């Protein structure tokens, strides 16, 4: 007994949870003020830089914080966190139109606090019975909005990349036998998001098994090219099994002709997956719900809540026309956990995806939708579409400007095109416009290349900008472009 006691008492004394709790209690009043600071963070002011990049010296100093070391006061660590996050592209800035800007609602991160505080393991009904039920109900409701049948189902994921990868796995398991994997072929357009290529690689397919179909003049998948390529590959002994359509291409906002692709998929026995990570949210539009009617032709859809449903990063979904397909690909037998299943009529979430331990992601989106109501969410989605169309109208009125892709799903591409300039000069001047706008902290408008032409691309989904802001920005754009061209002609800066 004495020997046993000596062994137990050897070594350093354990850190007391009571000590940690006492520190939190002592700081609690000041900790509550964090919410005031976070409100400001989620609605950055015009005095903040849209993008803040560290100098080499600043980066070295901040990187030093990455090593935990000895204990530090909570208040100090919070300040350090602010310092670290200060160096970023503020995608939630109302003047940021790059990538797919973050237009996350304050409701979303408030919901994240609730989800993190409760820290429910949403793997299944045993560990989180009601969050599990809410996720199933919300998935069912979202599936109905894309006109899927009652047999549909789905699961929340970390984002579109994971949802797309899971969909490819389901298509593989549904359409081809293991012996056919080496000859399997799948079809994407030249506008498909590159996350699909990463997913295919992870799943063990080779690069040559991805067939790229050309897009038409509107940057939509060319249907005849798709049909021809599938037939040729089958005649050559390959095993076509999947076609991926885009509903809201990242660069142009273009929507593939899903109805026509679905016809090819049906005739050729292909799985039709739609990457709607960005655009599927248009299904909740209040004034334009017809935009998303073609989604009903899909077998599966990837959909991101953190793009156009105003959520923080980490909220994605995979919807499938037949819920049983999820089980066929991801359910395994385990004596360790199967006995915990609480509901024989509904499958457990851990059987419908890759994750076992998982956060209650659905609850954050549920919180936003429940608080705002579906009409207000629909109006916020319409707001982005309206703003892009307004940008288009304003740009069209200016001499020397050209619309390269019309406003589609709140995305528009255009360029400054004055007379007597070569394509090389036009590319140079438009790139300079983007750089000057960022350097002056006016706006973050990225450039993209559309068939060799440098375009200024705007994604207008931030809910904190309005009509006056858009008109003022287009005015500044025009002046900046004229100034950049003048400097180019004089040879001062370009």
């Amino acid at each position: 007994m004495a020997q046993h006691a000596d062994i137990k008492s050897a070594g350093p004394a354990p850190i007391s949870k009571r000590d940690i709790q006492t520190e939190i209690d002592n700081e609690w009043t000041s900790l509550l003020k964090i919410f005031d600071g976070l409100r400001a963070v989620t609605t950055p002011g015009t005095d903040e830089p849209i993008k803040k990049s560290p100098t080499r010296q600043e980066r070295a100093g901040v990187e030093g914080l990455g090593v935990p070391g000895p204990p530090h006061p909570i208040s100090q660590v919070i300040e350090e966190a602010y310092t670290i996050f200060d160096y970023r592209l503020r995608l939630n800035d109302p003047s940021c139109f790059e990538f797919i800007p973050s237009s996350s609602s304050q409701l979303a991160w408030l919901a994240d606090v609730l989800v993190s505080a409760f820290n429910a393991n949403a793997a299944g009904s045993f560990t989180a019975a009601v969050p599990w039920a809410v996720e199933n109900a919300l998935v069912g409701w979202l599936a109905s909005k894309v006109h899927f049948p009652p047999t549909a189902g789905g699961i929340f994921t970390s984002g579109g990349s994971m949802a797309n990868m899971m969909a490819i796995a389901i298509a593989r398991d549904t359409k081809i036998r293991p012996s056919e994997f080496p000859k399997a072929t799948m079809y994407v357009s030249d506008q498909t998001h590159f996350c699909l290529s990463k997913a295919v690689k992870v799943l063990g397919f080779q690069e040559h098994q991805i067939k790229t179909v050309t897009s038409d003049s509107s940057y939509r998948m060319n249907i005849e090219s798709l049909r021809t390529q599938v037939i040729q590959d089958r005649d050559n002994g390959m095993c076509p099994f999947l076609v991926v359509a885009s509903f809201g291409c990242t660069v142009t906002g273009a929507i593939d002709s899903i109805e026509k692709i679905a016809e090819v998929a049906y005739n050729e026995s292909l799985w039709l997956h739609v990457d709607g990570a960005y655009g599927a949210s248009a299904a909740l539009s209040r004034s334009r719900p017809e935009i998303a009617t073609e989604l009903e032709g899909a077998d599966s859809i990837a959909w991101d809540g953190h793009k156009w449903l105003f959520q923080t990063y980490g909220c994605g979904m995979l919807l499938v026309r037949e819920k049983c397909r999820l089980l066929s690909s991801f359910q395994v037998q385990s004596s360790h956990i199967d006995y915990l299943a609480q509901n024989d009529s509904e499958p457990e979430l851990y059987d419908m995806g890759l994750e076992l331990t998982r956060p209650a992601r659905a609850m954050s989106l549920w919180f936003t939708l429940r608080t705002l109501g579906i009409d207000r969410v629909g109006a916020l989605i319409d707001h982005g579409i309206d703003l892009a169309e307004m940008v288009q109208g304003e740009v069209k009125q200016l001499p020397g400007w050209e619309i390269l892709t019309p406003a589609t799903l709140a995305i528009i591409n255009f360029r400054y095109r004055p007379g007597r300039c070569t394509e090389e000069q036009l590319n140079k001047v438009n790139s300079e416009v983007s750089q000057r706008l960022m350097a002056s902290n006016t706006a973050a408008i990225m450039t993209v290349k559309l068939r060799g032409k440098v375009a200024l691309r705007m994604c207008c989904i931030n809910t904190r900008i309005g009509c006056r802001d858009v008109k003022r920005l287009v005015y500044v754009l025009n002046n900046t472009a004229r100034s950049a061209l003048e400097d180019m002609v004089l040879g001062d800066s370009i």
Side-chain angles (χ1 to χ4, degrees), residues 50 55 69 125 168 182 270 327 359-360 388 416 432 445 469 477 485:
I50 301 173
T55 63
S125 58
I168 296 171
L270 306 178
L327 296 171
Y416 186 48
E432 180 69 11
I445 299 177
D469 302 311
L477 256 174
L485 177 63

Side-chain angles (χ1 to χ4, degrees), residues 124-235:
S125 58
F126 181 81
T127 52
V130 178
W132 167 83
V134 167
E135 179 164 347
N136 279 329
L138 185 55
V139 162
W141 179 81
L142 290 166
S144 74
K145 292 301 177 182
V146 295
H147 310 286
F148 270 11
T151 55
I155 190 167
F156 275 70
T157 69
S158 58
S161 295
M162 180 61 71
N164 283 324
M165 185 171 72
M166 290 170 63
I168 296 171
I170 294 170
R172 175 200 64 193
D173 297 342
T174 303
K175 292 295 183 178
I176 54 177
R177 298 184 295 271
S179 61
E180 296 173 319
F181 288 2
K183 294 185 177 182
T185 54
M186 61 209 80
Y187 303 83
V188 301
S189 89
D190 54 19
Q191 300 299 307
T192 300
H193 196 280
F194 70 93
C195 74
L196 271 298
S197 296
K198 294 183 73 170
V200 167
K201 183 177 181 180
V202 170
L203 290 171
F205 293 104
Q206 303 300 309
E207 190 174 343
H208 70 269
Q209 294 178 273
I210 310 173
K211 304 292 184 175
T212 302
V213 181
T214 57
S215 56
D216 59 21
S217 59
S218 298
Y219 297 92
R220 308 197 314 171
M221 182 181 283
N222 187 302
I223 306 302
E224 286 309 311
S225 295
L226 170 65
R227 183 182 287 111
T228 300
Q229 198 159 351
V230 171
I231 292 172
Q232 287 179 349
D233 287 339
R234 200 182 298 280
D235 289 345

Side-chain angles (χ1 to χ4, degrees), residues 123 153-157 161-174 199 202-203 271 273 299-301 317-320 322-334 337-338 347-356 358:
I155 190 167
F156 275 70
T157 69
S161 295
M162 180 61 71
N164 283 324
M165 185 171 72
M166 290 170 63
I168 296 171
I170 294 170
R172 175 200 64 193
D173 297 342
T174 303
V202 170
L203 290 171
W271 182 277
H273 174 63
D299 292 304
S300 56
I301 299 171
M317 296 160 272
L318 174 63
L319 304 179
V320 290
E322 303 293 337
K323 182 190 293 187
C324 61
R325 300 299 183 187
L326 287 165
L327 296 171
S328 297
S329 288
F330 302 114
Q331 186 178 38
V332 296
Q333 300 300 314
S334 171
I337 197 170
D338 285 347
E348 297 290 346
L349 292 173
Y350 58 75
D351 282 332
M352 296 170 66
L354 290 171
E355 293 178 297
L356 298 179
R358 58 194 294 274

